[in-house]
Amino acid sequence: TTDSFGPQGGDPLLRDVSARIAQVLREGATLARLGGDEFVALVGDLRQPEDVATVISRIRGALSEPFKIGGQEGFVTTSIGVSMFPSDGRDLDTLVRHADTALYTAKELGRDDVRYFTPELNRRAAERLVIEADLRRALERGEFTIYYQPQVDLYTRQIVAAEALVRWNHPTRGLVPPGAFIQIAEDSGLIVAIGHWILKEGCRQLRAWRDRGIQHLRLSFNLSPRQFRDKSLVSSVADAIAGAGVDADQIELELTESLVMGSADRFEAGLRELKGLGLSLAVDDFGTGYSSLNYLKRFPIDKLKIDQSFVRGLETDSDDAAIARTVIALARSLKLKVTAEGVETFGQLEFLRMHGCDEIQGYYVAQPMPAPEFERFVRNGLHGGIWSRRSAGNR
């Protein structure tokens, strides 16, 4: 919330937020700040669900108007968790804990949302604590591994890059996909250490492939909001590149749209510092967040990645097809590269090739795979059948 207003804007913004909330609460309600950008409101005499909805609507409405701090104007997102007396708890500690559980769920689902507490959420919260505890031990125990998903140039028909995707070899759960733990790692701050390991291991693997004759391969890493805000990021990336002895132009960092849009001046400086290392920057899942032509002009972006949700409907949904064509045309006009994610059929490949997309990745080419399997995949080259509808259908 406070990042959009720079390092000096946090406290004034929080004061304005609390003033707006207090102004719309019922008489006799209590408002307190728990810490950071979290507040708790105790509101009595709510006799039916409609009363709760009214209070929530007023709070969200009050916070939907722009804030002006230090000459800058910006918006905040509002995530709300709700617990009710006596059904969700008969004492203050229990009610606050359960409201916090509901709040976490609201954030997990994409922020700017409202969630009510349920026993199911409580079970999920308990499971989350177990996963977080296991995550803290996973790095020192060497339980993480990287899978690599090929990216193919649609013009040269060659494998030109790979996206590095972390997997967790849990001792009892088996191979855990990132969707099951990355957000927990992000919220707990563990993502910084995990991200540093991914960078070092990925660059080390890239150097090993180069030493074995696989040249000019580019490796792409996802960058989370917490990683981007960490002061050691630039030195971490620089150390990983230098330590492995790879070229910076072989490295690409992927940033989400919401991260870029929340950056303002301070994040722009961070992007340019990263760009100064000689690597490339891509906007991941383009079109699903806060798309803005202004940031494409202002920030040193090299590539847009079309989200798989649009690619999936290329052959059946005219809107998805129009969005894909527009993104490609936009990138062309701004001299940016375009990669399409989630390609699963020949028809999608052919559509993207015909409309000028540069690269694709997805199950149609290959699933993410461990390093040894990826190396064999690159050495064997692409199966010629993927470029023919008739052959592709018999794969």
Side-chain angles (χ1 to χ4, degrees):
T1 298
T2 60
D3 285 333
S4 298
F5 296 91
Q8 307 304 319
D11 288 341
L13 175 61
L14 291 171
R15 285 195 293 269
D16 285 358
V17 167
S18 62
R20 289 194 191 184
I21 297 175
Q23 190 173 14
V24 298
L25 288 178
R26 294 183 172 201
E27 185 176 351
T30 300
L31 179 68
R33 180 183 170 196
L34 290 181
D37 57 0
E38 292 189 2
F39 295 83
V40 60
L42 304 178
V43 185
D45 198 28
L46 300 177
R47 301 185 183 278
Q48 50 191 359
E50 290 79 4
D51 295 336
V52 182
T54 298
V55 172
I56 291 172
S57 179
R58 287 174 178 170
I59 292 173
R60 299 184 79 184
L63 299 180
S64 66
E65 297 297 320
F67 289 82
K68 292 184 179 180
I69 304 293
Q72 296 187 65
E73 183 176 283
F75 294 85
V76 301
T77 56
T78 308
S79 301
I80 300 176
V82 181
S83 64
M84 302 286 291
F85 173 90
S87 58
D88 299 331
R90 293 180 174 272
D91 61 83
L92 182 60
D93 286 345
T94 302
L95 286 168
V96 171
R97 187 173 69 253
H98 287 173
D100 189 59
T101 297
L103 173 64
Y104 171 77
T105 305
K107 291 181 177 179
E108 190 179 36
L109 293 173
R111 303 182 184 274
D112 206 22
D113 202 351
V114 179
R115 280 293 178 269
Y116 289 77
F117 175 80
T118 65
E120 171 63 17
L121 294 186
N122 209 30
R123 184 194 65 77
R124 289 174 56 190
E127 183 178 353
R128 177 180 178 275
L129 290 175
V130 172
I131 293 176
E132 183 176 329
D134 288 349
L135 270 177
R136 292 186 182 278
R137 295 186 288 266
L139 197 57
E140 61 188 56
R141 293 178 178 177
E143 294 173 1
F144 291 113
T145 188
I146 298 179
Y147 275 40
Y148 300 88
Q149 185 168 33
Q151 296 176 344
V152 173
D153 188 301
L154 285 176
Y155 298 95
T156 66
R157 299 188 175 186
Q158 300 297 311
I159 301 165
V160 293
E163 181 175 356
L165 300 163
V166 67
R167 298 290 188 269
W168 178 14
N169 280 312
H170 192 281
T172 58
R173 297 170 184 259
L175 199 63
V176 183
F181 68 88
I182 286 295
Q183 188 58 54
I184 297 174
E186 176 78 7
D187 293 337
S188 64
L190 292 170
I191 194 66
V192 174
I194 295 171
H196 180 64
W197 178 85
I198 295 170
L199 282 165
K200 286 184 62 178
E201 175 62 18
C203 288
R204 184 202 64 76
Q205 183 62 67
L206 189 62
R207 176 56 189 262
W209 285 329
R210 194 174 80 179
D211 289 345
R212 292 199 288 272
I214 301 178
Q215 304 288 335
H216 309 301
L217 194 68
R218 189 180 69 252
L219 197 54
S220 182
F221 299 89
N222 292 288
L223 206 58
S224 81
R226 181 69 70 97
Q227 283 178 278
F228 191 80
R229 291 194 299 267
D230 187 75
K231 294 179 180 178
S232 66
L233 173 63
V234 175
S235 61
S236 175
V237 176
D239 289 347
I241 292 172
V246 297
D247 297 329
D249 62 7
Q250 291 182 276
I251 304 302
E252 180 176 85
L253 300 181
E254 298 184 16
L255 310 100
T256 61
E257 279 191 294
S258 56
L259 186 156
V260 175
M261 284 300 292
S263 63
D265 294 336
R266 186 162 62 91
F267 277 13
E268 180 181 5
L271 287 176
R272 295 198 178 280
E273 197 172 359
L274 284 171
K275 188 68 180 159
L277 297 176
L279 47 75
S280 59
L281 298 173
V283 178
D284 196 14
D285 302 336
F286 186 76
T288 61
Y290 305 91
S291 301
S292 169
L293 298 181
N294 182 58
Y295 80 66
L296 293 181
K297 177 186 73 172
R298 177 178 177 183
F299 298 152
I301 303 298
D302 301 287
K303 176 191 286 184
L304 303 181
K305 297 193 75 175
I306 304 175
D307 184 66
Q308 60 183 346
S309 62
F310 303 125
V311 173
R312 192 178 300 121
L314 283 184
E315 298 174 275
T316 57
D317 190 311
S318 59
D319 289 339
D320 285 348
I323 289 171
R325 286 195 303 268
T326 301
V327 173
I328 294 169
L330 174 64
R332 280 277 170 266
S333 65
L334 294 173
K335 296 181 173 59
L336 303 176
K337 293 287 188 180
V338 189
T339 297
E341 300 180 290
V343 175
E344 297 183 350
T345 69
F346 172 78
Q348 293 165 359
L349 178 153
E350 187 67 0
F351 178 98
L352 292 163
R353 186 191 64 78
M354 288 177 59
H355 289 89
C357 185
D358 296 293
E359 298 171 0
I360 60 168
Q361 70 181 89
Y363 284 9
Y364 183 73
V365 175
Q367 298 185 29
M369 61 191 84
E373 187 178 337
F374 178 82
E375 181 173 343
R376 288 193 296 272
F377 186 83
V378 173
R379 292 190 186 283
N380 291 336
L382 292 171
H383 187 280
I386 76 167
W387 306 105
S388 165
R389 183 180 296 275
R390 181 184 302 174
S391 299
N394 297 322
R395 289 174 67 211

